[in-house]
Amino acid sequence: MTSGSSDEFYVRYYTGHMGKFGHEFLEFEFRPDGKLRYANNSNYKNDTMIRKEVYVSPGMLRELKRIIEDSDVMKEDDQLWPQPDRVGRQELEIVLGNEHISFTTSKIGSLAEVSNCQDPEGLRVLYYLIQDLKCLVFSLISLHFKIKPI
């Protein structure tokens, strides 16, 4: 953890892999000024990359902070989580006040995979938080743009 201003806030999530169709990934970030950046790259059936940017309100950022704080993810450690592999990787970086965390683990296909790791409770916290964040981002993108984000 690094120190900084107590009102700093930043969230970035990435999941992706290199496969038959090249580098396929989903990434989003929330910046302190409220900018939400979203990118989804899939070359399946010659799909093209989707990139969107939108500003969210201070109230939305407060709700995002609350979701993260309520999850207790800032107390977790990824030392015992599965390492990224050929299936892919996912990364979550959060700056919340004076705390800065950065997690890296393999892609999680289902909750059953979480139970098989050395720290199932910690990985479960990450899994549910990521589900919540993805749902929130997909809703925001769908509200602002006429696209299906998945």
Side-chain angles (χ1 to χ4, degrees):
M1 289 181 223
T2 60
S3 63
S5 170
S6 63
D7 61 346
E8 285 189 55
F9 183 65
Y10 173 79
V11 178
R12 182 185 66 83
Y13 174 72
Y14 163 90
T15 184
H17 69 277
M18 288 295 290
K20 180 176 169 183
F21 301 105
H23 184 205
E24 296 184 299
F25 66 90
L26 166 74
E27 183 173 33
F28 58 81
E29 73 176 356
F30 287 90
R31 294 185 174 180
D33 63 355
K35 183 186 274 189
L36 164 60
R37 295 180 65 222
Y38 170 89
N40 189 341
N41 187 42
S42 173
N43 297 318
Y44 179 68
K45 292 189 177 179
N46 296 321
D47 257 351
T48 58
M49 184 181 311
I50 298 169
R51 285 189 186 274
K52 299 293 177 186
E53 292 185 358
V54 65
Y55 282 90
V56 298
S57 70
M60 182 72 255
L61 286 180
R62 282 192 302 275
E63 180 62 13
L64 181 61
K65 287 179 190 178
R66 186 199 62 77
I67 291 168
I68 291 168
E69 289 169 343
D70 287 355
S71 76
D72 284 335
V73 76
M74 302 301 280
K75 298 175 183 173
E76 299 302 331
D77 186 338
D78 64 356
Q79 287 293 98
L80 299 176
W81 296 351
Q83 294 298 308
D85 55 19
R86 64 175 182 73
V87 173
R89 71 186 293 123
Q90 56 183 344
E91 303 168 358
L92 179 66
E93 180 180 10
I94 300 173
V95 175
L96 185 58
N98 294 326
E99 296 181 276
H100 182 183
I101 55 116
S102 183
F103 298 129
T104 303
T105 189
S106 62
K107 287 173 80 172
I108 303 170
S110 69
L111 194 54
E113 292 175 28
V114 170
S115 301
N116 297 330
C117 89
Q118 294 176 338
D119 178 18
E121 289 304 315
L123 194 55
R124 189 172 288 114
V125 168
L126 179 77
Y127 177 82
Y128 283 124
L129 176 61
I130 287 171
Q131 295 304 312
D132 289 346
L133 294 179
K134 285 168 47 174
C135 187
L136 176 66
V137 168
F138 292 160
S139 295
L140 290 169
I141 294 299
S142 296
L143 282 169
H144 286 277
F145 303 101
K146 297 288 185 193
I147 65 165
K148 291 185 178 182
I150 299 177

